Amino acid sequence: MGIVNLLFKNRLVPNIEEIEVYEAHGGYVGLRRAAGMERQAVIDEIKASGLRGRGGAGFPTWIKWNGLPKNYDAPHYVICNADEGEPGTYKDRELMLKMAHTLVEGVILAGYATHSKKGYIYIRGEYVEVAWQVRKAIDQAYKKGYLGKNILGVEGFDFDCYIHLGAGSYECGEESALMSSLMGERGNPRLKFPHAPLPTVQGIWKAPTLVNNVESFCAATAVMTIGGEEYAKLGTEKSKGTKIMSVSGHVARPANYEIELGTPLLELLREAGGVTGGQLKAVIPGGSSVQIVPADRLDKINLDYESCGANGTLLGSGGFMVFNDRTDIVLLMKRTSEFYAHESCGKCTPCREGTRWLYKILDRITSGNGQPGDVELLLDVCSQIDGRSYCGLGDAACWPIVGAIKSFRPEFEYWIKNKRSPIGENALPPTPERVNPLLTLTAA
Amino acid sequence: MSPSNNLTERPREPKPAPDRERRFSAQSIAELEEIVTHYPERKAACLPALWIAQREYGGYLTTSAIQEVADYLGLSYAEVEGVATFYTMYNLRPRGRHHLEVCTCLTCAVLGAYDIVHKLEHELGVGIGQTTADGEFTLSEAECLNFCGAATVVQVGDRYFTHITSENVMGLIDELRRSENYTPAKLADAIVKILIPGSGESGGGSSDKEALQGAPGPML
Amino acid sequence: MSDNRLTQTEQSLNLPSEKRVKIKINGIQVEVPSGENIIEAARRVGTEIPFFCYHARLSKGDAANCRMCLVEVSTTAPDGTVRKMPKPQAACTMPAAEGMVIETETPALVKDRKGVLELLLINHPLDCPVCDRGGECPLQNNTLFYGPPTSRYIEEKRHFPKAYPLSEFVVFDRERCIHCARCTRFTEDISGDAQLGFLKRGADMEVGTFAQTSFISKFSGNVIELCPVGALLSRTYRFKARPWDLLTQRSICSQCSNGCNIKLDYRVNQLQRVNARLNEAVNEEWTCDKGKFGHEYVSSPERLQTPMHKRDGEWVAVDWTEAYRILVGRLKTSGVSVAGIGGAKATNEDNFAFQKLFRQVLRSPNLDHRMGRYQGPTNSLMHNRFGYHTMGNAIADLENMQTLLVLGADLQDEQPMLFLRIRKAWRFKSATVVYANDHATSETTNVSDFAAANLIYKPGSEIALLHGLLNVLITENLLPENPALDLTALKRSLVEWTPERTEQETGIPASEITVAARLLQHSPTAIIVGKTVTEHASYPDIVAALGNLVTLTGNIGNLNVPGLEVNSQGAADMGVLPDVGPGYVPTAETGMSTHQILESAADRMLQTLWIVGADVVNDYCDPELARRAVENCPFVVVNDLFMTDTARLADLILPIASVAEKDGTYTNCERRVQRIYRAFDLAPDIKPDWLIFTEVAAQMGGEANYFSARDILRDIGEKVPHYAGITPKTLGESGVRWNYPATEPKPAAIVPVTYTAPVRETLSV
Ligand SMILES: Cc1cc2nc3c(=O)[nH]c(=O)nc-3n(C[C@H](O)[C@H](O)[C@H](O)COP(=O)(O)O)c2cc1C
Ligand code: SF4
Ligand code: FES
């Protein structure tokens, strides 16, 4: 348990973003190995590794790969979800900035395994520096013949990889919205199974489509390099391998840490140098969408899907945010709800109206106009959104608030009763002196 | 949407359709046609085309810019406008030469992002969403820029500036005043280039990490 | 709830398969087509699931957004175990599958519905007292039945400018919009002009057009009825009435030959608005803007209200006794030198009485309803060859075609409902469309938008084009085997018509001609012909050439030359033609056609001219001739609603009833006989045409046994073979499409057609 640098093995090698260096350090070995195997064998290898999606949902990766129909004449597509938008997460950023080749390699071998001829890497528009690295990696891979026709001399192993840049929308990280965006539409989610076929059956342009997160593809590369069994040795019985945790907030050494799944939460916190600026108050282990955990419950949690789930939170995308005792949870939740209100795509009623309402209530409370019953109102509005919305964003907007009220209800009550923060004058985050935050945000 | 600013204009009759302006250079059209070949449908090039338009129209999208995109891709104006207004990085109003987007999402918020915002508001004399009189800076708040480990992050054009604090932010401002780079148009340009295969080597990317001496660079 | 006009459609567009599955809804076992959505499935067991965004004729892609229709779904695994889905599911997009168990009334769902409605209402202005939709508003209805009694929302509501004018017909109140995407889907799925779309996102999202510039569509009016709230409103009806103050009468649109079923909403003898009435066979539930907003004339103050007689240049109002005295006296003296024009806008009953008066009382065969010039004697040409005169297909058939060729028609204007069917065939049933015309159009609503091939040919070169197409079909032998046909002669005549040669004549690139021809090989193929052709000097030849095309591709029944006026078809059926009587029975002597009548009148050869509801001076294809005719004819009597230019030149004007003021039947372009009903009387001295003809007949000593339109319809049923058995009862709600009496099938034959390069003169037409 603890830090295990698998994807990050060569993180500190100088110029690792150059293909020669990458190859010198065991790059594209996984792809060569895969290309030497039956396509189905590659999928079995992934299955053996027990790899689960790193984008948040934690869905077994091999099932997706295996889900694409095996009639090879119809076009299949691979999409890499590099629209990293979950507040607190920045693992994909570093992976692409330094390990762009690992990602490209992963995408190519996914293409091989699923008989896809085209791959798109959907990178959020803000990640320009990152996108440059991926562009470079792709170009170099073409030069070396890892992309194009008859890759590595394998007859019929053709694969082209394109970059598609977003333009500022968190919702486009949701896989169906991402597909809309890729097809040149508004970033609205699309009908989900069973209302419509799975993306792996009918995705973009009605063709079978595989969507995976950056880290998932990188992990796939690792799996193919070291072998499925080897990879499965890492982690717990249900959560195999490693996970990159983006540690931020009130910690001494904020950074990306690659840990073996199952590592105790507090151990990671120790690795990151512990809390700064005061006593530890709470941790959000998996990005803003998951429930916040108060200090006293942290020792129970190991960083794997099951343990997090069992303790009323989620591993999510690994956005590990640490807060000290100057943090005012109500203000924090207000900021969180502002995020979701701003990012809601507006397609469905509960999310469009509800997220904005939640924000307005919390804004009212934190500007000293709270009323008795507001907490119940918050919970009830959440219950009207959670599970009723068209896609996961609605749910994601509710969980943190429900969780915060569960663990820190007194702070809400205090705000409503005394019209000020229980933390006092210099509570974090400070209340911005702004007229209408949402106006300014949408204006930007 | 604030109530006040919306009830103002109240046209009697629908406005006429925007005039068909043509600002795409031959090169832009070549780029667009290249990008179109990446997808089975022209429509899919809508986002890239809007980036090109944002570059060609000087950093923001006018109605005729949207019309031009619609015409090149064979879409209706409404469809393209729907896309342009959905994504926050398409500017529908002119921006300052440098667009300061201060991340005020969770981590940055608890690590002093609002102090930076206030500092800038006072130093530049503009509020959020406003542009300085000299057209140099536009100040905005950004949702999570996803580099929380390097909080506070400020995005300017195609570049993240990290570890910004209310102390060192004015240093950044001074550097930017002198800099030709990191403009909205340059951002659009970089994005378009990235979409074109083979442009990798030309790419500034993080190679211009140290471009701004003095100003703090990204943590890697 | 259930009778609000938004739920009027019964079957779903996402056509479910033949396979049937057993599902359980609220404990009731029912068998439904596999894949049918749960809202429709629930209707089968009489369960109403509330909704806003769902609409059976709109695509599912952007649906399921209002979340009003949530239900609880459990699935049965093959081993019989029933698993409940953790989240409630949107019924509107949930496809029925074997063993599905649906609950629609659980306490949880009751709460969910309250929740959705509360959320929908937090930003809704609730200005129902001044909202046109109030009283017929799904949002009001659903709130009444499922909503929370109060709101806990004390924050500020979203505000927008009210009543934003989107187009000359539609205003948009953004505050009321509930973002159901019905309007946006309509312009994408149905009208196809993609004029509406969502702007911005989240709670700021709004419907917009062209940065709020004009909403340019031929069908914009429909979104007013589609909108489940008062967000999209009619500018002509705005603030005019409360729905519950309106009386409604069933009627038929009088603007074109499609015969859309409509509802006339009226109040104190004034028409207030027109809404669509469901008729799956004709207009489904749509109208075009001409129909929806074009009926103002009915209540216009300009309407003529008494007979008028011209005395030395001055118009004098006279009563009917006087009018008849003048008219009858005149008719008595002019003997057979009398002719009648018009009827295309009048009912079958009017036309029947019209021709009866002429043939039996005045003994004159000179009457014709056609305004076109080249239609020759009747459409006998097509009839002799294929056994039908105008449309071989029913409107609804068109949506089942593989290929559709639209020749020389601005369909969206000439035949709006045919346009919608053809687009439906393309969008929902993947038909291919070939469009050919002698001019390109810049309309936003347009066949060429979705046509696989757009052939813009030089005016007058239709036949060349058709030869070219046939040439490709033959040389690439893409035609079905048909031993009965001897093609040698045809082949010989076509060899010269290579794509290249055709390109010279038509100006269409040879390659495009080849492509288009290849598309035509996929049967069934229907051909729709429009104005450009019917007003063409060589119209008969073009039809002959088209005849060859359908014969060779094996689509003999699929040639369509629809009439243009509301009752062109009926007037012909009733024998308002120079050479045939009711039911196309050839008459002993052949009278003069419209053109001949006008010519003889212009040459002062005609004593009396009776013009029935036709402004020939403007509408006839040769206005000059028409004007001279009316001027030179010693006595002209005009039946009309208005003081038209033609009426001005006449001697006697008789005010007639409009579509809203009389009973009767129209026959639309597909031969569907449909009823109109008298809604109100504008003024006491206005009479329907049939009454005028009958009364004149009486005064001329003829028999006058008609006391109502029904009497005439009964008579028609007896005298006109095609109309046998057609009575007000049998017509019912959606009319009856009459069929030609069965005759032994005509042997398919090829008619040689020679191409003559266009003569300038025809182009002026
Ligand atoms: C609102 C929302 C936002 C999401 N954002 C992201 C994201 O930024 N990056 C990502 O990889 N997955 C994101 N996801 C998860 C994706 O929908 C999808 O599960 C994931 O990309 C699948 O890849 P994986 O199987 O490799 O995890 C998001 C999901 C939701 C509901
Ligand atoms: S305007 Fe009406 S139809 Fe259109 S989205 Fe809004 S509520 Fe729906
Ligand atoms: S009717 Fe099903 S979600 Fe609107």
Side-chain angles (χ1 to χ4, degrees):
Chain A
M1 293 296 150
I3 304 291
V4 176
N5 280 320
L6 186 60
L7 311 193
F8 274 161
K9 190 153 106 291
N10 306 320
R11 177 196 210 176
L12 300 175
V13 176
N15 301 326
I16 186 67
E17 57 265 29
E18 300 300 330
I19 193 161
E20 291 76 10
V21 185
Y22 180 64
E23 283 174 318
H25 289 76
Y28 290 102
V29 170
L31 178 60
R32 289 179 190 285
R33 217 178 123 243
M37 301 158 62
E38 278 305 312
R39 299 181 188 239
Q40 188 58 39
V42 178
I43 297 178
D44 298 338
E45 188 92 26
I46 300 292
K47 180 177 184 182
S49 76
L51 174 62
R52 289 168 66 173
R54 303 290 190 232
F59 186 81
T61 303
W62 78 272
I63 297 184
K64 275 194 198 178
W65 289 32
N66 202 34
L68 277 79
K70 315 252 183 242
N71 66 325
Y72 310 138
D73 31 2
H76 293 24
Y77 295 97
V78 173
I79 300 179
C80 170
N81 185 341
D83 187 64
E84 190 168 49
E86 181 79 3
T89 316
Y90 55 98
K91 61 188 176 68
D92 298 350
R93 178 181 176 84
E94 185 166 1
L95 278 171
M96 287 186 281
L97 215 39
K98 302 227 199 72
M99 307 288 153
H101 278 295
T102 320
L103 169 61
V104 174
E105 186 178 352
V107 173
I108 299 173
L109 60 84
Y112 176 73
T114 58
H115 291 89
S116 307
K117 298 248 174 290
K118 276 188 179 181
Y120 297 97
I121 301 182
Y122 186 111
I123 308 175
R124 65 180 294 180
E126 293 87 346
Y127 275 10
V128 181
E129 298 153 278
V130 174
W132 271 122
Q133 293 307 322
V134 180
R135 163 51 57 207
K136 237 192 229 155
I138 291 177
D139 292 350
Q140 294 177 342
Y142 267 108
K143 282 210 193 68
K144 290 267 185 171
Y146 295 123
L147 280 166
K149 299 244 165 297
N150 301 331
I151 296 166
L152 299 169
V154 179
E155 196 47 45
F157 180 11
D158 310 340
F159 195 74
D160 288 301
C161 191
Y162 305 101
I163 293 179
H164 186 97
L165 281 152
S169 162
Y170 166 66
E171 172 60 3
C172 288
E174 198 280 337
E175 62 188 353
S176 66
L178 179 137
M179 291 191 278
S180 307
S181 182
L182 187 72
M183 291 189 282
E185 297 165 9
R186 295 162 54 84
N188 288 332
R190 314 176 80 76
L191 284 174
K192 304 240 179 350
F193 188 81
H195 302 260
L198 287 161
T200 48
V201 179
Q202 271 194 21
I204 43 174
W205 301 295
K206 297 224 179 310
T209 307
L210 171 74
V211 184
N212 274 128
N213 167 255
V214 172
E215 191 184 347
S216 310
F217 280 115
C218 294
T221 308
V223 169
M224 292 317 290
T225 318
I226 66 173
E229 270 68 19
E230 200 53 33
Y231 186 89
K233 291 207 183 92
L234 293 164
T236 68
E237 181 258 342
K238 279 222 180 68
S239 309
K240 301 289 184 201
T242 64
K243 172 92 186 75
I244 300 178
M245 305 295 293
S246 309
V247 180
S248 70
H250 297 131
V251 288
R253 292 191 299 278
N256 282 317
Y257 294 86
E258 183 171 15
I259 54 139
E260 181 176 5
L261 282 162
T263 304
L265 186 150
L266 290 174
E267 185 177 339
L268 174 61
L269 188 53
R270 225 173 298 116
E271 284 292 341
V275 65
T276 57
Q279 293 303 312
L280 179 62
K281 178 170 192 175
V283 168
I284 300 179
S288 67
S289 302
V290 313
Q291 305 200 338
I292 190 165
V293 188
D296 53 26
R297 275 202 268 120
L298 293 174
D299 53 353
K300 295 186 190 57
I301 299 181
N302 295 340
L303 294 170
D304 60 59
Y305 298 102
E306 290 66 33
S307 171
C308 287
N311 289 281
T313 182
L314 294 166
L315 190 55
S317 58
F320 189 96
M321 286 174 279
V322 182
F323 301 100
N324 66 19
D325 53 11
R326 263 188 65 197
T327 316
D328 179 321
I329 300 299
V330 184
L331 289 170
L332 196 67
M333 283 307 126
K334 184 195 110 190
R335 188 61 189 82
T336 315
S337 62
E338 184 176 4
F339 170 81
Y340 290 102
H342 177 247
E343 296 300 337
S344 166
C345 82
K347 181 167 187 162
C348 73
T349 309
C351 180
R352 179 183 64 246
E353 307 293 343
T355 53
R356 179 71 63 96
W357 191 7
L358 288 173
Y359 166 70
K360 284 183 169 180
I361 297 170
L362 284 156
D363 189 39
R364 185 159 51 75
I365 295 176
T366 54
S367 49
N369 300 318
Q371 298 183 350
D374 274 347
V375 178
E376 290 68 24
L377 180 57
L378 282 170
L379 288 171
D380 199 54
V381 173
C382 284
S383 76
Q384 289 174 17
I385 304 172
D386 186 4
R388 280 60 180 159
S389 59
Y390 194 102
C391 82
L393 193 141
D395 312 350
C398 300
W399 294 336
I401 296 179
V402 174
I405 294 180
K406 193 148 30 94
S407 312
F408 296 95
R409 191 175 185 121
E411 293 202 16
F412 288 83
E413 311 276 351
Y414 187 98
W415 259 109
I416 294 168
K417 189 154 166 298
N418 308 307
K419 318 273 182 229
R420 56 185 161 77
S421 167
I423 309 301
E425 271 322 295
N426 52 11
L428 293 174
T431 4
E433 323 148 344
R434 276 174 295 128
V435 205
N436 184 332
L438 285 161
L439 171 64
T440 63
L441 277 170
T442 35
Chain B
M1 274 300 166
S2 91
S4 51
N5 83 327
N6 250 296
L7 289 167
T8 51
E9 42 74 86
R10 191 162 180 169
R12 287 279 89 256
E13 285 306 310
K15 303 198 217 90
D19 56 343
R20 295 252 194 297
E21 213 178 321
R22 283 287 173 272
R23 288 227 210 144
F24 279 27
S25 61
Q27 182 222 1
S28 307
I29 294 170
E31 286 169 339
L32 179 54
E33 288 310 321
E34 157 63 29
I35 291 167
V36 164
T37 62
H38 301 177
Y39 311 97
E41 284 181 355
R42 282 188 85 77
K43 181 181 179 189
C46 190
L47 273 71
L50 283 166
W51 279 119
I52 295 178
Q54 185 145 316
R55 178 184 68 191
E56 300 301 311
Y57 283 74
Y60 73 104
L61 298 169
T62 63
T63 49
S64 21
I66 292 171
Q67 183 64 61
E68 187 164 1
V69 171
D71 294 345
Y72 275 120
L73 299 180
L75 302 170
S76 87
Y77 184 98
E79 289 171 276
V80 181
E81 192 188 20
V83 174
T85 52
F86 185 91
Y87 299 95
T88 50
M89 287 178 79
Y90 295 124
N91 305 329
L92 301 166
R93 296 185 280 102
R95 291 278 183 264
R97 204 166 66 85
H98 290 115
H99 186 185
L100 309 167
E101 303 196 57
V102 185
C103 175
T104 61
C105 208
L106 301 185
T107 305
C108 291
V110 295
L111 291 175
Y114 287 119
D115 306 345
I116 297 170
V117 172
H118 299 154
K119 176 90 168 188
L120 289 173
E121 280 177 340
H122 295 131
E123 294 290 335
L124 301 177
V126 293
I128 292 289
Q130 296 175 344
T131 305
T132 53
D134 59 3
E136 185 64 25
F137 297 105
T138 301
L139 180 59
S140 305
E141 253 186 280
E143 286 301 355
C144 190
L145 292 171
N146 291 83
F147 201 176
C148 316
T152 294
V153 185
V154 178
Q155 182 184 12
V156 187
D158 54 349
R159 174 92 142 79
Y160 277 16
F161 295 96
T162 59
H163 301 103
I164 305 293
T165 63
S166 48
E167 286 70 41
N168 66 14
V169 65
M170 290 321 288
L172 171 60
I173 294 293
D174 298 335
E175 295 290 344
L176 287 173
R177 280 190 199 283
R178 278 184 247 115
S179 166
E180 284 309 309
N181 299 329
Y182 319 120
T183 63
K186 283 235 165 79
L187 165 65
D189 182 53
I191 287 186
V192 176
K193 289 225 173 63
I194 289 169
L195 294 172
I196 308 289
S199 61
E201 292 319 313
S202 74
S206 55
S207 61
D208 66 345
K209 259 176 239 153
E210 282 66 49
L212 287 185
Q213 302 313 338
M219 178 206 69
L220 290 168
Chain C
M1 178 63 208
S2 45
D3 73 328
N4 98 51
R5 66 169 52 83
L6 288 163
T7 60
Q8 66 184 214
T9 61
E10 286 316 323
Q11 74 284 75
S12 168
L13 230 196
N14 38 75
L15 300 153
S17 65
E18 287 311 301
K19 187 162 154 290
R20 297 181 77 80
V21 293
K22 283 199 194 57
I23 65 172
K24 203 181 250 164
I25 300 176
N26 295 343
I28 307 168
Q29 189 82 31
V30 57
E31 219 182 57
V32 303
S34 145
E36 180 173 69
N37 69 61
I38 298 303
I39 288 187
E40 302 292 349
R43 287 204 175 123
R44 295 173 186 266
V45 296
T47 303
E48 183 88 38
I49 298 173
F51 62 81
F52 291 107
C53 70
Y54 170 68
H55 190 288
R57 294 182 207 279
L58 301 178
S59 57
K60 304 205 292 183
D62 287 341
N65 57 48
C66 75
R67 315 309 283 177
M68 188 65 204
C69 68
L70 294 177
V71 295
E72 286 176 6
V73 181
S74 315
T75 52
T76 315
D79 63 13
T81 53
V82 177
R83 254 191 64 262
K84 180 150 170 288
M85 295 191 177
K87 298 176 174 184
Q89 299 291 321
C92 62
T93 50
M94 188 63 162
E98 186 61 43
M100 217 172 236
V101 181
I102 313 286
E103 286 297 331
T104 72
E105 302 302 332
T106 65
L109 289 171
V110 170
K111 181 172 184 305
D112 287 346
R113 290 171 184 164
K114 282 195 178 10
V116 169
L117 279 160
E118 180 177 35
L119 289 167
L120 279 175
L121 291 174
I122 61 178
N123 278 307
H124 189 82
L126 291 169
D127 52 356
C128 308
V130 291
C131 177
D132 286 342
R133 205 73 160 120
E136 53 181 18
C137 172
L139 185 56
Q140 282 184 333
N141 298 345
N142 280 342
T143 309
L144 175 68
F145 289 104
Y146 306 99
T150 56
S151 174
R152 296 167 292 179
Y153 186 77
I154 56 172
E155 270 60 48
E156 172 151 38
K157 283 179 187 270
R158 179 168 60 221
H159 288 295
F160 287 115
K162 290 212 128 339
Y164 199 114
L166 276 187
S167 76
E168 61 177 304
F169 298 128
V170 184
V171 287
F172 181 34
D173 186 325
R174 270 176 284 175
E175 292 185 336
R176 294 178 187 158
C177 173
I178 60 165
H179 308 90
C180 70
R182 280 182 161 208
C183 54
T184 59
R185 279 180 287 160
F186 175 84
T187 63
E188 198 182 328
D189 291 335
I190 310 299
S191 67
D193 33 48
Q195 285 284 294
L196 294 178
F198 279 117
L199 310 179
K200 311 225 190 85
R201 74 186 192 196
D204 301 324
M205 188 167 80
E206 58 183 85
V207 171
T209 60
F210 269 104
Q212 307 304 346
T213 57
S214 198
F215 169 23
I216 313 154
S217 170
K218 297 279 174 189
F219 301 93
S220 63
N222 295 294
V223 299
I224 298 168
E225 287 181 72
L226 275 176
C227 182
V229 297
L232 289 161
L233 298 171
S234 159
R235 294 181 77 176
T236 55
Y237 168 68
R238 201 151 173 269
F239 297 142
K240 271 173 112 187
R242 303 306 293 172
W244 52 84
D245 279 346
L246 292 170
L247 296 168
T248 299
Q249 185 55 283
R250 286 165 293 172
S251 188
I252 299 297
C253 172
S254 63
Q255 298 286 355
C256 84
S257 61
N258 291 180
C260 288
N261 292 215
I262 56 171
K263 299 187 198 130
L264 301 175
D265 285 356
Y266 62 99
R267 187 162 180 271
V268 285
N269 294 349
Q270 292 285 314
L271 181 68
Q272 301 296 334
R273 67 172 177 186
V274 169
N275 277 332
R277 179 159 60 97
L278 179 70
N279 185 335
E280 292 296 346
V282 182
N283 55 315
E284 303 192 84
E285 67 194 76
W286 315 124
T287 58
C288 76
D289 286 356
K290 273 186 297 168
K292 196 168 176 62
F293 303 104
H295 285 84
E296 255 82 54
Y297 74 86
V298 167
S299 302
S300 157
E302 307 287 295
R303 282 283 300 279
L304 296 168
Q305 306 209 343
T306 60
M308 311 258 265
H309 183 229
K310 198 187 265 161
R311 301 204 174 133
D312 36 50
E314 287 306 313
W315 283 114
V316 199
V318 297
D319 62 16
W320 282 97
T321 334
E322 174 64 3
Y324 283 149
R325 197 188 54 71
I326 299 163
L327 179 55
V328 169
R330 181 69 206 180
L331 287 170
K332 287 218 166 93
T333 56
S334 48
V336 295
S337 177
V338 46
I341 295 180
K345 290 189 175 131
T347 61
N348 292 327
E349 292 73 5
D350 299 332
N351 280 294
F352 191 77
F354 184 30
Q355 64 84 30
K356 186 173 177 189
L357 169 69
F358 267 68
R359 294 216 165 88
Q360 291 179 14
V361 181
L362 307 179
R363 307 236 169 264
S364 157
N366 308 322
L367 74 174
D368 195 343
H369 71 281
R370 294 168 300 176
M371 290 290 119
R373 175 174 177 179
Y374 300 109
Q375 279 117 320
T378 333
N379 251 348
S380 48
L381 191 142
M382 254 171 85
H383 183 253
N384 298 343
R385 192 166 170 190
F386 299 125
Y388 54 88
H389 293 90
T390 50
M391 277 184 76
N393 297 108
I395 294 176
D397 294 348
L398 295 177
E399 81 184 51
N400 300 324
M401 295 293 161
Q402 274 271 330
T403 317
L404 291 137
L405 168 59
V406 179
L407 177 63
D410 292 323
L411 217 55
Q412 70 282 5
D413 293 320
E414 293 172 33
Q415 312 286 352
M417 291 307 134
L418 271 56
F419 172 87
L420 290 186
R421 285 288 174 169
I422 290 175
R423 193 166 188 288
K424 183 179 179 186
W426 167 78
R427 179 154 174 95
F428 291 104
K429 304 190 173 180
S430 57
T432 28
V433 179
V434 178
Y435 179 67
N437 206 344
D438 66 359
H439 59 278
T441 147
S442 59
E443 303 262 16
T444 51
T445 322
N446 187 344
V447 177
S448 50
D449 284 352
F450 53 94
N454 279 298
L455 313 172
I456 304 304
Y457 54 81
K458 294 202 198 114
S461 60
E462 285 87 354
I463 294 178
L465 172 60
L466 292 170
H467 284 352
L469 292 172
L470 256 185
N471 172 292
V472 177
L473 284 167
I474 290 175
T475 47
E476 303 194 357
N477 57 62
L478 305 172
L479 295 172
E481 277 311 310
N482 189 341
L485 288 174
D486 165 24
L487 301 183
T488 41
L490 180 80
K491 283 186 172 143
R492 211 177 306 108
S493 71
L494 286 181
V495 276
E496 58 168 317
W497 289 100
T498 60
E500 293 65 28
R501 167 88 166 76
T502 316
E503 174 170 357
Q504 288 168 14
E505 277 305 326
T506 60
I508 305 166
S511 53
E512 287 185 28
I513 294 171
T514 323
V515 172
R518 291 188 185 135
L519 293 174
L520 292 178
Q521 67 181 298
H522 303 294
S523 287
T525 302
I527 301 179
I528 296 91
V529 179
K531 254 209 186 96
T532 319
V533 170
T534 52
E535 293 185 0
H536 191 301
S538 44
Y539 163 65
D541 294 345
I542 300 175
V543 176
L546 285 166
N548 294 347
L549 189 57
V550 289
T551 311
L552 290 167
T553 54
N555 291 290
I556 289 182
N558 302 348
L559 184 53
N560 301 287
V561 191
L564 291 172
E565 291 297 346
V566 57
N567 206 27
S568 307
Q569 179 71 43
D573 299 349
M574 294 304 119
V576 181
L577 286 164
D579 55 342
V580 295
Y584 302 96
V585 182
T587 47
E589 56 176 324
T590 299
M592 296 186 282
S593 74
T594 309
H595 202 65
Q596 294 160 325
I597 294 172
L598 292 174
E599 270 167 344
S600 63
D603 308 346
R604 300 193 156 71
M605 308 282 290
L606 189 69
Q607 286 292 324
T608 299
L609 174 58
W610 196 333
I611 301 175
V612 180
D615 184 7
V616 289
V617 171
N618 295 318
D619 298 352
Y620 190 63
C621 54
D622 182 350
E624 257 325 294
L625 173 66
R627 175 170 292 274
R628 273 189 291 116
V630 180
E631 279 168 353
N632 295 355
C633 182
F635 187 85
V636 179
V637 50
V638 169
N639 296 12
D640 214 315
L641 301 157
F642 292 97
M643 180 61 84
T644 61
D645 294 347
T646 309
R648 251 180 219 93
L649 301 171
D651 305 270
L652 183 66
I653 305 176
L654 306 175
I656 52 168
S658 76
V659 61
E661 295 143 66
K662 62 181 177 185
D663 295 314
T665 58
Y666 287 133
T667 307
N668 78 350
C669 57
E670 61 160 2
R671 305 198 298 272
R672 179 173 301 274
V673 186
Q674 309 188 97
R675 281 186 83 180
I676 60 168
Y677 299 78
R678 181 176 143 280
F680 52 83
D681 292 321
L682 187 71
D685 266 356
I686 293 178
K687 298 187 182 208
D689 301 82
W690 66 264
L691 186 56
I692 299 174
F693 298 130
T694 319
E695 289 176 347
V696 170
Q699 304 209 10
M700 301 278 299
E703 55 162 11
N705 49 1
Y706 298 144
F707 299 97
S708 74
R710 280 168 159 273
D711 298 348
I712 308 182
L713 186 57
R714 196 172 301 114
D715 208 14
I716 294 174
E718 286 157 14
K719 305 250 166 51
V720 186
H722 310 143
Y723 283 63
I726 287 184
T727 68
K729 223 182 218 63
T730 55
L731 287 178
E733 279 285 316
S734 48
V736 170
R737 184 164 181 254
W738 66 257
N739 272 314
Y740 288 90
T743 52
E744 72 289 350
K746 306 198 168 40
I750 296 301
V751 182
V753 182
T754 49
Y755 170 69
T756 43
V759 196
R760 287 281 134 258
E761 184 265 332
T762 63
L763 303 184
S764 67
V765 175

